[in-house]
Structures are given as C-alpha cells and as structure tokens.
Amino acid sequence: MVRGIECLLREHREHVHQGKAVRPEFRGVDGRDVYNPTAPFGYGERKLICARVEPRDSEKSEAVFFEEAGEDIYVPAQDLPRFSLQDPCITIVAGQYVLGGTEVFSHPDDAGQVVWRTVFFCGEKLTELRPLAKGPLGMKDVRLVELTDHRIGVFTRPQGERGGRGRIGFTVVDQLSDVTEQVMEAASLLELFLPDEWGGVNAAYLLENGDVGVLGHVACFAPEGVRHYYPMTFRINPDTGEHTMPVILAERSEFLPGECKREDLADVLFSAGLYREDGQLFLYVGVSDCEVQYMQVEDPF
C-alpha cells in the first residue's frame, strides 16, 4: 500500500538511529558551491567523489572529480575530465565506468526555453569516457545497475502526462548498447508515491540475493511552495518487478545547520550514495543545494 511522506516521516522518527553528521571540505573551487555528489568510490589507489560545482547565484554547473587529500578534505583531480552536467552519478557496468548526469541546454525548437535530459558516458578509464546514451527531454534521475546475470537494470523518472511530478520507472536490458531513449520512455512505472508527491532514484546496488537495493528521494511541496526532499530506500526484484515500499532514511534536521541556495530549498536532502568503510555504512547527501554532508546510518537492505 502506498504511504505518503507524513506517514513515512512518522515511522522514521520512531526508529531513527543515526551517527554524527560530517561536512567534508572541498578546496580549489574558487568560492563556488559543491553539492549533489556521488558517494566516494575507489579508482586505483585513490578515493574519488564526483560532484556538482556552481556559483551560488547560478545553475551553470560542472561535474568535477575530486580526490581525497586528507581526512574529509577533497581537491579537484587535475588529470580527470570535467563535464557540463548537474547531479553526477557513477557506477560500473560490464567492466566499464558509467558516468551520468543532467545536461541542461536550449530547446532545439525554441532557443528561449531551457530543457534537460540525462546523458551517460562510459569507458574503462575515467580519462577515456565517451558518449553512451541520451535520455528523453525532461527526464532526470535515470540510473543503471548491473544485475547478477550481467543484464542491466534501468531506472527512469518520467514527468508530465505519464509521470505527473515524477514517478520511478524500471526495465531491464541485455547490454549497454540497449540503453536508449526509447527504452527509457517505455519503462514500467512503479506504484511508490501519492499523486501530489514525487521521487526518483539516485543510486542502485546489486544485493547478495539478486535483488536491487535502491537509494532515492521522495519529495513534496509545502503549501508555501517550499520543497521537502527526503532520502529513501526500497528493494526490487529485477525479474518480477516486485518491490517493497519506500522507507525514509534521514531528514534535514539530522544534519548540520548551514546555508541554502534559495529559501525554498532549505529542506532539501538530495541522496548521493551509500559508502561502506570499516564495517560501517555512510549516507552522502547534497544539502540545501549548496553543500555536501554525510552521516553513518543503519544498513537499510
């Protein structure tokens, strides 16, 4: 049964057991904000994060790879490329790095209108990423995950006539070359949200039993127009499409206080990813569209 955010929040607050929030430092960005990152990931002997970098008064973004230079200190990786993308994501599929993100550009039929879509790049090395696929116009939050049989799970987020404010779709393809705009458009929709709420997938993880553990967000508007975004998780069987219902993992008040890009974004947590280290699990989030924080959480899967 679909449960709304009010119910999910009440359940979360009854069982919350979180660690202390941490604000990592991102240097070398000329005063720009760094937010909506990937979780940390290993690249050879290096620990990297890819994150959205932009001025506070703009949404003209770069996706920048940062490498760890000290405990919770990151600097731009000078040998790795930058991309004109918002909200980057990264995974490994078929032995290749797959980098995705939101491309923002002028509408092909109306230069005065801004549109967006998810795009993907792939390669065996981060220095050799090449274009892989483009999603439908207006679709953010497309994510890929390699399954036990090496097929690829594809999560989508249509809006408008088919998806309202944003619903999650899911389908499975045989190989990377099958990840096309048409496949994304046709993905079956999951019943996860109330009609006036929305959400999307931010990261997906193959679990030991072959299910996929999903980290995403569920969101709504307050009456005054303020946006409320909450990290959430659920599981899905990629063969049958059967899934659990979302569970909220955290809320803004559990993280450190800080600034926001705009007042209507003060209560936004944009799920980045889950990172395991020394037997502990950490949730990384973009906070209020202007910074990165992380916190230890219980394993939701």
Side-chain angles (χ1 to χ4, degrees):
M1 179 179 177
V2 175
R3 295 171 296 168
I5 286 175
E6 183 177 351
C7 178
L8 297 178
L9 268 179
R10 185 168 58 249
E11 293 173 353
H12 168 70
R13 290 166 180 169
E14 290 173 352
H15 302 97
V16 61
H17 297 287
Q18 309 288 31
K20 181 180 178 181
V22 177
R23 178 183 286 120
E25 180 181 355
F26 292 85
R27 299 176 178 175
V29 293
D30 299 323
R32 292 178 293 170
D33 292 330
V34 179
Y35 68 104
N36 291 9
T38 67
F41 63 97
Y43 186 63
E45 299 299 316
R46 304 157 76 181
K47 182 178 178 181
L48 303 182
I49 287 177
C50 189
R52 175 175 175 171
V53 180
E54 70 186 26
R56 181 68 57 88
D57 60 354
S58 169
E59 290 196 5
K60 187 174 183 180
S61 305
E62 277 190 309
V64 177
F65 288 102
F66 293 86
E67 60 182 321
E68 189 179 47
E71 185 175 1
D72 292 321
I73 298 173
Y74 291 86
V75 297
Q78 299 300 326
D79 60 323
L80 298 181
R82 300 184 179 196
F83 294 82
S84 297
L85 298 174
Q86 298 178 353
D87 307 338
C89 60
I90 195 160
T91 189
I92 294 178
V93 177
Q96 298 191 70
Y97 291 94
V98 178
L99 173 74
T102 302
E103 178 185 42
V104 180
F105 57 100
S106 297
H107 194 286
D109 299 323
D110 182 357
Q113 182 181 354
V114 174
V115 292
W116 53 84
R117 63 188 171 198
T118 303
V119 296
F120 289 103
F121 301 83
C122 68
E124 294 184 358
K125 299 179 181 179
L126 296 180
T127 52
E128 299 174 355
L129 296 175
R130 61 188 184 279
L132 169 65
K134 295 180 179 180
L137 291 182
M139 187 181 290
K140 299 182 179 183
D141 299 338
V142 180
R143 298 292 187 266
L144 309 181
V145 60
E146 185 170 0
L147 306 176
T148 302
D149 59 5
H150 303 299
R151 294 182 301 158
I152 301 163
V154 183
F155 291 94
T156 66
R157 199 200 72 169
Q159 293 180 280
E161 182 177 348
R162 187 162 183 254
R165 288 180 172 171
R167 296 177 64 186
I168 292 174
F170 180 73
T171 190
V172 177
V173 298
D174 291 330
Q175 54 195 2
L176 278 175
S177 60
D178 295 331
V179 179
T180 64
E181 179 179 343
Q182 292 73 26
V183 162
M184 298 179 207
E185 287 275 24
S188 299
L189 299 183
L190 309 181
E191 295 296 329
L192 295 166
F193 311 124
L194 296 180
D196 59 345
E197 299 175 356
W198 71 93
V201 173
N202 298 89
Y205 306 95
L206 180 65
L207 305 179
E208 289 185 359
N209 70 346
D211 285 356
V212 175
V214 175
L215 173 68
H217 59 274
V218 58
C220 64
F221 281 116
E224 65 275 16
V226 174
R227 304 165 190 260
H228 301 281
Y229 274 66
Y230 304 93
M232 63 81 174
T233 60
F234 67 93
R235 300 168 65 119
I236 185 169
N237 181 317
D239 295 319
T240 66
E242 295 179 356
H243 58 84
T244 61
M245 298 309 296
V247 174
I248 284 179
L249 202 55
E251 59 180 311
R252 177 67 184 91
S253 61
E254 295 161 16
F255 286 85
L256 299 172
E259 299 179 0
C260 57
K261 189 176 186 72
R262 299 192 312 265
E263 289 302 319
D264 65 310
L265 302 172
D267 196 37
V268 168
L269 291 182
F270 189 82
S271 305
L274 296 168
Y275 177 67
R276 297 182 188 275
E277 186 173 58
D278 299 330
Q280 298 176 321
L281 185 67
F282 298 93
L283 168 68
Y284 279 71
V285 293
V287 180
S288 305
D289 275 20
C290 70
E291 65 173 343
V292 175
Q293 295 188 37
Y294 71 86
M295 175 190 293
Q296 183 183 351
V297 295
E298 294 183 345
D299 192 333
F301 305 126

